Amino acid sequence: MTLLLDSLGGVPDGRLAPVEEIAEVVGFLVSDAAGSVLGEEVTVDGGTVKTT
């Protein structure tokens, strides 16, 4: 696992997101609770990809 994290340039969170966490984000986005979320890009990567 360390080799994978190192190849990604490190993960600030220190771990990869488990499938369940990603599924929770997807579940929210397809639910009525996210009815006002339009055209959004949600990155679930523990901070690997730097965003502005």
Side-chain angles (χ1 to χ4, degrees):
M1 180 67 75
T2 302
L3 182 60
L4 175 60
L5 294 176
D6 290 343
S7 71
L8 293 171
V11 177
D13 203 20
R15 63 183 182 81
L16 297 176
V19 173
E20 294 81 11
E21 284 183 17
I22 296 169
E24 287 179 15
V25 173
V26 172
F28 167 72
L29 291 172
V30 300
S31 74
D32 290 339
S36 294
V37 178
L38 303 171
E40 191 61 41
E41 180 178 320
V42 180
T43 305
V44 184
D45 69 355
T48 301
V49 177
K50 294 184 188 226
T51 58
T52 56

